[in-house]
PDB file of all heavy atoms in Angstrom:
ATOM      1  N   TRP A 328     129.204  85.938 166.941  1.00  0.00           N
ATOM      2  CA  TRP A 328     128.055  86.264 166.079  1.00  0.00           C
ATOM      3  C   TRP A 328     128.633  86.771 164.765  1.00  0.00           C
ATOM      4  O   TRP A 328     129.312  87.794 164.724  1.00  0.00           O
ATOM      5  CB  TRP A 328     127.170  87.298 166.763  1.00  0.00           C
ATOM      6  CG  TRP A 328     126.115  87.956 165.918  1.00  0.00           C
ATOM      7  CD1 TRP A 328     125.923  89.300 165.780  1.00  0.00           C
ATOM      8  CD2 TRP A 328     125.084  87.326 165.129  1.00  0.00           C
ATOM      9  NE1 TRP A 328     124.853  89.549 164.957  1.00  0.00           N
ATOM     10  CE2 TRP A 328     124.312  88.363 164.539  1.00  0.00           C
ATOM     11  CE3 TRP A 328     124.744  85.999 164.852  1.00  0.00           C
ATOM     12  CZ2 TRP A 328     123.223  88.101 163.687  1.00  0.00           C
ATOM     13  CZ3 TRP A 328     123.656  85.739 164.005  1.00  0.00           C
ATOM     14  CH2 TRP A 328     122.909  86.781 163.444  1.00  0.00           C
ATOM     15  N   CYS A 329     128.369  86.028 163.704  1.00  0.00           N
ATOM     16  CA  CYS A 329     128.919  86.342 162.377  1.00  0.00           C
ATOM     17  C   CYS A 329     127.865  86.995 161.476  1.00  0.00           C
ATOM     18  O   CYS A 329     127.999  86.938 160.237  1.00  0.00           O
ATOM     19  CB  CYS A 329     129.483  85.094 161.722  1.00  0.00           C
ATOM     20  SG  CYS A 329     130.756  84.259 162.691  1.00  0.00           S
ATOM     21  N   GLU A 330     126.826  87.551 162.085  1.00  0.00           N
ATOM     22  CA  GLU A 330     125.815  88.352 161.373  1.00  0.00           C
ATOM     23  C   GLU A 330     124.928  87.488 160.460  1.00  0.00           C
ATOM     24  O   GLU A 330     125.162  86.315 160.267  1.00  0.00           O
ATOM     25  CB  GLU A 330     126.471  89.469 160.525  1.00  0.00           C
ATOM     26  CG  GLU A 330     127.445  90.344 161.285  1.00  0.00           C
ATOM     27  CD  GLU A 330     126.792  91.290 162.296  1.00  0.00           C
ATOM     28  OE1 GLU A 330     125.562  91.459 162.221  1.00  0.00           O
ATOM     29  OE2 GLU A 330     127.513  91.827 163.155  1.00  0.00           O
ATOM     30  N   ASN A 331     123.913  88.147 159.915  1.00  0.00           N
ATOM     31  CA  ASN A 331     123.036  87.482 158.951  1.00  0.00           C
ATOM     32  C   ASN A 331     123.782  87.197 157.657  1.00  0.00           C
ATOM     33  O   ASN A 331     124.587  88.008 157.199  1.00  0.00           O
ATOM     34  CB  ASN A 331     121.837  88.377 158.627  1.00  0.00           C
ATOM     35  CG  ASN A 331     120.722  88.247 159.653  1.00  0.00           C
ATOM     36  OD1 ASN A 331     120.690  87.310 160.442  1.00  0.00           O
ATOM     37  ND2 ASN A 331     119.790  89.187 159.631  1.00  0.00           N
ATOM     38  N   GLN A 332     123.491  86.039 157.087  1.00  0.00           N
ATOM     39  CA  GLN A 332     124.099  85.641 155.817  1.00  0.00           C
ATOM     40  C   GLN A 332     122.940  85.255 154.906  1.00  0.00           C
ATOM     41  O   GLN A 332     122.236  84.296 155.196  1.00  0.00           O
ATOM     42  CB  GLN A 332     125.023  84.425 156.007  1.00  0.00           C
ATOM     43  CG  GLN A 332     126.043  84.584 157.113  1.00  0.00           C
ATOM     44  CD  GLN A 332     127.185  85.484 156.713  1.00  0.00           C
ATOM     45  OE1 GLN A 332     127.547  85.561 155.538  1.00  0.00           O
ATOM     46  NE2 GLN A 332     127.758  86.188 157.683  1.00  0.00           N
ATOM     47  N   LEU A 333     122.754  85.993 153.857  1.00  0.00           N
ATOM     48  CA  LEU A 333     121.624  85.668 152.974  1.00  0.00           C
ATOM     49  C   LEU A 333     122.081  85.547 151.537  1.00  0.00           C
ATOM     50  O   LEU A 333     122.559  86.514 150.940  1.00  0.00           O
ATOM     51  CB  LEU A 333     120.527  86.730 153.068  1.00  0.00           C
ATOM     52  CG  LEU A 333     119.278  86.428 152.236  1.00  0.00           C
ATOM     53  CD1 LEU A 333     118.637  85.108 152.642  1.00  0.00           C
ATOM     54  CD2 LEU A 333     118.268  87.551 152.360  1.00  0.00           C
ATOM     55  N   GLY A 334     121.962  84.350 151.008  1.00  0.00           N
ATOM     56  CA  GLY A 334     122.207  84.152 149.590  1.00  0.00           C
ATOM     57  C   GLY A 334     120.949  84.471 148.814  1.00  0.00           C
ATOM     58  O   GLY A 334     119.872  84.644 149.386  1.00  0.00           O
ATOM     59  N   SER A 335     121.072  84.546 147.519  1.00  0.00           N
ATOM     60  CA  SER A 335     119.912  84.878 146.703  1.00  0.00           C
ATOM     61  C   SER A 335     119.130  83.636 146.299  1.00  0.00           C
ATOM     62  O   SER A 335     117.957  83.716 145.961  1.00  0.00           O
ATOM     63  CB  SER A 335     120.357  85.636 145.447  1.00  0.00           C
ATOM     64  OG  SER A 335     121.385  84.924 144.801  1.00  0.00           O
ATOM     65  N   GLU A 336     119.767  82.485 146.369  1.00  0.00           N
ATOM     66  CA  GLU A 336     119.140  81.263 145.890  1.00  0.00           C
ATOM     67  C   GLU A 336     118.933  80.292 147.030  1.00  0.00           C
ATOM     68  O   GLU A 336     119.858  80.033 147.808  1.00  0.00           O
ATOM     69  CB  GLU A 336     120.094  80.584 144.895  1.00  0.00           C
ATOM     70  CG  GLU A 336     119.639  80.581 143.470  1.00  0.00           C
ATOM     71  CD  GLU A 336     120.665  79.860 142.624  1.00  0.00           C
ATOM     72  OE1 GLU A 336     120.566  78.631 142.531  1.00  0.00           O
ATOM     73  OE2 GLU A 336     121.569  80.529 142.085  1.00  0.00           O
ATOM     74  N   TYR A 337     117.747  79.706 147.100  1.00  0.00           N
ATOM     75  CA  TYR A 337     117.427  78.801 148.213  1.00  0.00           C
ATOM     76  C   TYR A 337     118.472  77.700 148.396  1.00  0.00           C
ATOM     77  O   TYR A 337     118.981  77.495 149.500  1.00  0.00           O
ATOM     78  CB  TYR A 337     116.042  78.189 147.998  1.00  0.00           C
ATOM     79  CG  TYR A 337     115.733  77.067 148.956  1.00  0.00           C
ATOM     80  CD1 TYR A 337     115.575  77.302 150.317  1.00  0.00           C
ATOM     81  CD2 TYR A 337     115.630  75.737 148.503  1.00  0.00           C
ATOM     82  CE1 TYR A 337     115.312  76.274 151.208  1.00  0.00           C
ATOM     83  CE2 TYR A 337     115.368  74.704 149.381  1.00  0.00           C
ATOM     84  CZ  TYR A 337     115.216  74.969 150.732  1.00  0.00           C
ATOM     85  OH  TYR A 337     114.965  73.940 151.603  1.00  0.00           O
ATOM     86  N   LEU A 338     118.817  77.012 147.326  1.00  0.00           N
ATOM     87  CA  LEU A 338     119.699  75.850 147.479  1.00  0.00           C
ATOM     88  C   LEU A 338     121.128  76.237 147.832  1.00  0.00           C
ATOM     89  O   LEU A 338     121.947  75.383 148.145  1.00  0.00           O
ATOM     90  CB  LEU A 338     119.667  74.989 146.210  1.00  0.00           C
ATOM     91  CG  LEU A 338     118.373  74.192 146.037  1.00  0.00           C
ATOM     92  CD1 LEU A 338     118.332  73.503 144.679  1.00  0.00           C
ATOM     93  CD2 LEU A 338     118.189  73.170 147.160  1.00  0.00           C
ATOM     94  N   LYS A 339     121.435  77.549 147.776  1.00  0.00           N
ATOM     95  CA  LYS A 339     122.772  78.005 148.150  1.00  0.00           C
ATOM     96  C   LYS A 339     122.805  78.669 149.529  1.00  0.00           C
ATOM     97  O   LYS A 339     123.829  79.236 149.917  1.00  0.00           O
ATOM     98  CB  LYS A 339     123.303  78.976 147.084  1.00  0.00           C
ATOM     99  CG  LYS A 339     123.531  78.277 145.744  1.00  0.00           C
ATOM    100  CD  LYS A 339     124.181  79.185 144.729  1.00  0.00           C
ATOM    101  CE  LYS A 339     124.496  78.382 143.459  1.00  0.00           C
ATOM    102  NZ  LYS A 339     125.009  79.226 142.384  1.00  0.00           N
ATOM    103  N   LEU A 340     121.697  78.586 150.268  1.00  0.00           N
ATOM    104  CA  LEU A 340     121.680  79.218 151.592  1.00  0.00           C
ATOM    105  C   LEU A 340     122.704  78.595 152.538  1.00  0.00           C
ATOM    106  O   LEU A 340     123.083  79.199 153.540  1.00  0.00           O
ATOM    107  CB  LEU A 340     120.272  79.114 152.217  1.00  0.00           C
ATOM    108  CG  LEU A 340     119.184  79.964 151.565  1.00  0.00           C
ATOM    109  CD1 LEU A 340     117.836  79.690 152.242  1.00  0.00           C
ATOM    110  CD2 LEU A 340     119.512  81.449 151.637  1.00  0.00           C
TER     111      LEU A 340
END
Side-chain angles (χ1 to χ4, degrees):
W328 168 233
C329 303
E330 308 289 346
N331 276 344
Q332 309 284 330
L333 183 59
S335 51
E336 249 181 86
Y337 170 67
L338 287 173
K339 294 186 175 174
L340 290 177

